[in-house]
Amino acid sequence: MPVKTTATGEPLDAATLRELRAIVGAEHVRHADGDVTPYARDATPLFRARPGAVVHPASTEEVAAVLRLAGARGIPVVPRGAGSNLCSATVPLEGGIVLVLTRLDRILEISAEELLAVSQPGVTSAALADAAAAHGLLYAPDPGSRSVATIGGTVATCAGGLRGLKYGVTRNYVLGLEAVLGTGEVIRTGGRLWKDVAGYDLTRLLTGSEGTLGVITEVTLALLPAPGTAGNGLAYFPTLADAGRAVTRVIAAGIVPATLEFLDARCVDAVEQHARLGLRRDAGALLIFGDDGEPAAVAQRLDRMAELCRDTGAIEVSVAGHAAESEALLAARRCTLPALSRLGSITILEDVGVPRPRIAEMVGHIDDIAGRHEVTIATFGHAGDGNLHPTCVIDKGDDEAAERAHLAFGEIFRTAMRLGGTITGEHGVGAAKLPYLTERLGAAQIDLQRRIKAAFDPAGILNPGKAGS
Amino acid sequence: MTGFTPDLLNRCIACGFCLPACPTYALTKDETSSPRGRIDLMRALDEGILPADDPRVREEAAFCLGCRACETVCPAGVQYGDLLEEWRDQQWQGTGRPLVARLLMILVDARWRVRLLGLLRRHARTRGGPQGPSLMLGCFERALFPKVSRAARRLFPELAAPAAQGCCGALHAHNGDSARGRRMAEELGRRLPGTIVTTSGGCAAHLSSVLGRDRVKELSQYAYERDTPGGDPAETAGRPRIALQDSCHLRNGLDVWREPRAMLERVGTYVELPSAGTCCGAAGTYALVRPRDSRRVLDAKLDEIEAAGVDYVAVVNPGCYRQLDQGLRRRKSRVRAVHLAELLAGERPRRRAQ
Ligand SMILES: Cc1cc2nc3c(=O)[nH]c(=O)nc-3n(C[C@H](O)[C@H](O)[C@H](O)COP(=O)(O)OP(=O)(O)OC[C@H]3O[C@@H](n4cnc5c(N)ncnc54)[C@H](O)[C@@H]3O)c2cc1C
Ligand code: SF4
Ligand code: SF4
């Protein structure tokens, strides 16, 4: 993958800058080189483009005024939360304004009575979950990046997480939105109701729209009663195929666990090398299973899952005795990516999805493809929902390796689609996956998506060069 | 420019996990004043995308508190403190260094001047060369808070405290002269040959990085290992309520934070402040170089301290001592800042009248 940089990012003209300053205040408009350089990228490696200006609005009205101005002048606007996305969704490939929503950082309401929260977009996912927990409530979506990712960003990418199978993903929790369209119009979709079918479901359409349809300025989210307890167990298998069979048996037994995460042997090796958690390195795969709910029920389900793993040929199975041990098990999963990143200087984390029964088959293909392209790819992911993260580590400046990785991932995406899967399970399309989107959706749907985009954003200013373009 | 160790710079995977831990990001919500943003600026310098005299690059090298809170949450193990030293080594050459830092560095550069600093103050001192462990007197603590070393010696009479020991060089290391900072630490290590006990978390971290962790003990560690008794834990009535301000480098650099809490529990009722582990804004020379930002960082903490209903807020670093003492005085708060050593030595300064 060659480094994507563009020569745009010319500072905006003086008159535009002046008007922007009048809208949000002078200190919230930045355009000098040093000020905007860090906004040339997000958490995605290899993509970089300098914005013309960075603007930090503090209210819906300011967002609307910025969009009206940008629409009239045809200036691209890239909404940005924490910039933790992994698909170069916030890289301003066509220059223009990076519109940062982090100053909109208030939780407006937590209602235990109505089981909902109302929040501004710049609040982090973890802060919202903590606020809910203080009321004995659960905000279920828990992306690995929850401590940094913003509510706006997680809604705009429809973020998943470690408990997708049981709890679903962000879209299952968005009840209503306030958003500013590319025209500067402010709309409020959905609301505080679980049942509401008045009109098209624009809430769902905006969820996962990656900043290409509107700027989200307020979110109403569904909460659940917090589960009494959570527990985890761990099983080693001779091969990933065995682990895959165990997952199938667990679900066939009527258990829908909160956690079913797997690591392939390369991941286990890397984790052990870096974190020394005492994991076995002689197995072909590691499966972490877990559930939450009433203590007795959790214990029973954990035992049952352990039994099913043993029956499917697990080499070793253990169930955590208490909460701290349980957390320690998850640590293995949480530190997989950083552990892998230590193998080189650039870490390309991908995000394909396949139907659950085909996980082992897919991982087999990934190994095969990596071998043919002479790159090292380690795979971990969410066994419960078929979402895999093949991860390739290369060295900075090794353009040949980058190109080989690029080709390998192209094949991996196509293989996933052939197996009935997708090019991205939770990280999004951004600019990184755009080249594969037509293959995934077909020409007719791409056309329709463009027409939808044009209806929300007739001037085409919102996050150009990404999904919908 | 190639003043950065490539391995340090390449370690960062740009995940952004450090953003919520950073006090300056909390103030601005601007990526450019976050740890990841600063590392990106360093990379831009390294790759020639930005020149060394870019005003924002200069500003961020100074705006950063150097508290290293970002290190504790980094999944990739980025050693931000080391990167910052390398960054300031490049940016703060000669006149690039803030004037106050320059003056202070000159002041403590020679041993005789450090000695002079404490000459008129009654800090602890013993004659002759040390035999066993010795107490580091610090350069500014001996001048500003001589009572701390006296308290430490009362607690641990075995500690030698020769006046001619110089400065540990942390000041230099954090202000753009890490080579000199190392040499000064080595020199101090020669003058105090055994275990060095220090009442300053910041000095402990710097000394440890040069002399190795075995040679250096911060006071709470030393006290904890010796099982130093405090007051009578059974006697609850009249026990003071005490909060703690962690020393950033002690906590984030050396992972020492349980020890001061354990010690405080022996002398009073310990109250954990929500922000106990985050920087108070003293940050070495920061409070002098950037008083406005330093106060912005401090203000929220003072609110917390007052809301916590405590008698004392304990400190384990002279910079924090000065910062909190002044902040609380300015507010005419009744809460007193006091060093852990003083509390352990049995001192109970009276609450200030309102
Ligand atoms: C280590 C690591 C682990 C991760 N783990 C997971 C995981 O488990 N599951 C998962 O799904 N993702 C994961 N991610 C990816 C990322 O954290 C998510 O995509 C997250 O939702 C992004 O939130 P953000 O605030 O950083 O958004 P940004 O990265 O700033 O933006 C993401 C997209 O949302 C748009 N956007 C942001 N805010 C708004 C707004 N207010 N209005 C309109 N559009 C907006 C942007 O234009 C962009 O298209 C991980 C990332 C990292 C680095
Ligand atoms: S947490 Fe560490 S790896 Fe992630 S952006 Fe910050 S410094 Fe870089
Ligand atoms: S050292 Fe402190 S102020 Fe500097 S980047 Fe890290 S967390 Fe922020």
Side-chain angles (χ1 to χ4, degrees):
Chain A
M1 226 179 296
V3 179
K4 302 280 198 317
T5 47
T6 44
T8 52
E10 298 297 317
L12 303 181
D13 62 90
T16 306
L17 287 171
R18 211 165 33 242
E19 285 178 58
L20 286 170
R21 288 193 195 102
I23 297 168
V24 296
E27 73 270 37
H28 301 302
V29 179
R30 303 288 188 119
H31 62 93
D33 289 342
D35 295 331
V36 304
T37 292
Y39 291 92
R41 64 165 302 173
D42 45 39
T44 325
L46 304 174
F47 287 82
R48 224 193 145 96
R50 182 202 192 279
V54 175
V55 176
H56 280 78
S59 67
T60 306
E61 294 69 41
E62 291 183 5
V63 171
V66 170
L67 288 187
R68 277 195 302 273
L69 175 69
R73 308 250 161 106
I75 301 166
V77 175
V78 181
R80 175 172 167 128
S84 73
N85 76 85
L86 293 162
C87 59
S88 65
T90 50
V91 178
L93 291 170
E94 301 183 10
I97 297 167
V98 167
L99 190 71
V100 191
L101 284 310
T102 46
R103 283 178 67 217
L104 286 157
D105 62 352
R106 276 181 305 128
I107 296 172
L108 303 173
E109 182 186 349
I110 302 269
S111 168
E113 207 171 89
E114 286 184 83
L115 285 177
L116 58 78
V118 183
S119 173
Q120 291 192 316
V123 173
T124 66
S125 210
L128 190 94
D130 288 350
H135 288 75
L137 301 170
L138 173 75
Y139 176 57
D142 72 330
S145 51
R146 59 198 286 285
S147 65
V148 53
T150 64
I151 288 297
T154 53
V155 170
T157 55
C158 186
L162 266 58
R163 37 189 189 207
L165 176 64
K166 180 169 178 175
Y167 287 106
V169 296
T170 301
R171 77 162 69 84
N172 303 101
Y173 297 88
V174 184
L175 293 174
L177 294 172
E178 179 187 80
V180 185
L181 308 184
T183 52
E185 293 160 280
V186 179
I187 60 166
R188 293 188 72 94
T189 71
R192 306 170 75 96
L193 307 173
W194 262 250
K195 285 176 162 180
D196 183 356
V197 292
Y200 294 140
D201 192 346
L202 299 184
T203 309
R204 278 231 171 173
L205 186 54
L206 284 163
T207 304
S209 64
E210 299 180 13
T212 64
L213 299 182
V215 178
I216 296 162
T217 48
E218 193 189 291
V219 185
T220 305
L221 295 161
L223 304 174
L224 300 170
T229 185
N232 295 297
L234 163 153
Y236 296 93
F237 292 90
T239 67
L240 224 145
D242 298 319
R245 274 204 306 282
V247 169
T248 306
R249 289 183 69 168
V250 164
I251 290 164
I255 304 174
V256 180
T259 308
L260 268 182
E261 298 289 311
F262 77 92
L263 277 69
D264 73 3
R266 277 195 201 92
C267 292
V268 174
D269 235 28
V271 167
E272 204 34 43
Q273 222 173 49
H274 150 60
R276 308 218 174 280
L277 300 172
L279 303 178
R280 282 175 80 130
R281 292 164 91 161
D282 58 350
L286 170 66
L287 185 73
I288 301 168
F289 52 89
D291 204 5
D292 57 12
E294 289 313 307
V298 171
Q300 192 211 338
R301 283 197 294 267
L302 285 176
D303 286 343
R304 181 81 180 110
M305 286 192 276
E307 190 185 311
L308 289 164
C309 286
R310 275 191 212 96
D311 291 352
T312 323
I315 309 170
E316 187 187 324
V317 183
S318 59
V319 171
H322 48 82
E325 215 177 302
S326 195
E327 266 305 298
L329 287 186
L330 280 183
R333 168 63 180 82
R334 292 225 171 87
C335 73
T336 309
L337 178 64
L340 288 171
S341 81
R342 297 194 178 212
L343 304 176
S345 48
I346 294 180
T347 310
I348 308 167
L349 171 64
E350 273 308 343
D351 172 46
V352 292
V354 291
R356 196 187 310 113
R358 309 198 80 161
I359 290 176
E361 187 183 347
M362 183 67 209
V363 175
H365 286 304
I366 292 172
D367 287 347
D368 176 51
I369 292 167
R372 273 191 286 110
H373 290 280
E374 294 173 39
V375 285
T376 307
I377 297 184
T379 304
F380 61 97
H382 318 289
D385 51 37
N387 187 192
L388 312 183
H389 295 308
T391 304
C392 181
V393 184
I394 58 175
D395 278 317
K396 195 175 160 185
D398 189 345
D399 292 341
E400 273 177 36
E403 190 52 38
R404 289 202 304 277
H406 178 57
L407 293 174
F409 278 123
E411 264 191 61
I412 289 172
F413 300 148
R414 289 190 186 100
T415 308
M417 287 188 269
R418 193 163 47 73
L419 298 183
T422 185
I423 55 175
T424 172
E426 59 182 9
H427 292 169
V429 175
K433 294 293 178 62
L434 194 59
Y436 310 97
L437 195 61
T438 309
E439 271 172 84
R440 169 77 181 105
L441 300 179
Q445 233 191 110
I446 289 282
D447 261 8
L448 176 59
Q449 296 217 350
R450 287 192 182 130
R451 293 201 298 275
I452 293 172
K453 158 106 173 135
F456 279 74
D457 175 27
I461 54 166
L462 281 171
N463 214 352
K466 314 289 167 60
S469 299
Chain B
M1 178 159 331
T2 49
F4 292 104
T5 309
D7 270 355
L8 288 179
L9 213 47
N10 288 342
R11 204 63 288 141
C12 173
I13 55 173
C15 63
F17 278 29
C18 48
L19 268 59
C22 177
T24 58
Y25 179 74
L27 287 180
T28 62
K29 294 293 171 101
D30 179 6
E31 173 83 30
T32 311
S33 39
S34 79
R36 178 177 63 176
R38 290 183 176 123
I39 291 172
D40 202 61
L41 292 179
M42 295 182 214
R43 284 181 164 150
L45 276 175
D46 197 51
E47 291 167 11
I49 296 174
L50 290 174
D53 62 356
D54 180 281
R56 186 63 185 270
V57 171
R58 290 196 157 284
E59 162 67 10
E60 288 306 327
F63 186 28
C64 171
L65 293 153
C67 68
R68 296 167 64 186
C70 42
E71 287 184 26
T72 61
V73 294
C74 174
V78 170
Q79 292 163 280
Y80 181 88
D82 292 352
L83 278 172
L84 180 65
E85 284 185 13
E86 295 189 354
W87 191 15
R88 288 188 178 165
D89 278 354
Q90 300 167 47
Q91 303 272 195
W92 287 7
Q93 291 295 322
T95 52
R97 181 174 297 138
L99 183 65
V100 184
R102 247 186 295 161
L103 293 175
L104 291 174
M105 282 162 72
I106 295 170
L107 199 61
V108 302
D109 211 19
R111 253 187 316 130
W112 66 266
R113 274 195 294 262
V114 174
R115 201 166 171 178
L116 208 62
L117 271 176
L119 203 59
L120 297 176
R121 307 303 309 260
R122 288 193 308 112
H123 60 72
R125 64 192 82 196
T126 55
R127 287 185 194 289
Q131 305 298 316
S134 35
L135 179 67
M136 195 189 122
L137 293 169
C139 42
F140 291 106
E141 191 179 82
R142 69 169 75 192
L144 293 176
F145 302 108
K147 56 188 173 177
V148 174
S149 57
R150 289 202 306 271
R153 278 264 303 146
R154 265 206 308 289
L155 273 172
F156 306 112
E158 75 274 19
L159 296 178
Q165 49 172 255
C167 158
C168 73
L171 181 69
H172 289 67
H174 302 150
N175 288 284
D177 193 354
S178 59
R180 177 91 186 106
R182 284 190 73 84
R183 283 198 304 277
M184 290 170 77
E186 283 159 5
E187 159 102 20
L188 186 78
R190 278 191 295 274
R191 306 224 152 250
L192 307 177
T195 300
I196 302 175
V197 179
T198 165
T199 47
S200 157
C203 302
H206 175 67
L207 275 176
S208 298
S209 74
V210 179
L211 302 177
R213 291 198 66 156
D214 297 346
R215 283 285 305 280
V216 185
K217 293 272 176 258
E218 181 273 334
L219 184 103
S220 72
Q221 279 179 296
Y222 190 77
Y224 186 74
E225 284 168 17
R226 245 143 223 82
D227 215 12
T228 311
D232 182 359
E235 161 213 330
T236 49
R239 271 164 76 85
R241 286 170 57 82
I242 314 174
L244 173 71
Q245 169 60 47
D246 276 303
S247 147
C248 291
H249 284 202
L250 187 64
R251 182 184 176 111
N252 305 330
L254 297 178
D255 197 29
V256 173
W257 52 275
R258 296 172 199 86
E259 293 87 341
R261 286 169 174 73
M263 295 316 298
L264 286 176
E265 271 170 9
R266 297 185 190 184
V267 292
T269 305
Y270 176 65
V271 179
E272 176 83 12
L273 295 174
S275 76
T278 44
C279 187
C280 66
T285 54
Y286 197 90
L288 302 174
V289 177
R290 302 180 69 97
R292 220 174 53 95
D293 291 323
S294 168
R295 273 216 209 176
R296 278 166 82 198
V297 173
L298 176 64
D299 273 344
K301 190 175 291 278
L302 293 178
D303 294 342
E304 253 180 34
I305 292 173
E306 299 211 276
V310 291
D311 301 296
Y312 303 115
V313 49
V315 295
V316 284
N317 188 62
C320 317
Y321 202 163
R322 180 178 170 276
Q323 176 83 343
L324 288 170
D325 187 50
Q326 293 194 344
L328 291 166
R329 274 174 203 277
R330 256 196 315 269
R331 287 209 178 184
K332 304 203 173 7
S333 167
R334 299 196 57 201
V335 182
R336 299 277 303 250
V338 47
H339 195 285
L340 172 68
E342 297 173 75
L343 287 173
L344 292 181
E347 272 151 50
R348 300 286 179 272
R350 253 194 304 171
R351 298 191 87 183
R352 222 173 272 121
Q354 227 150 8

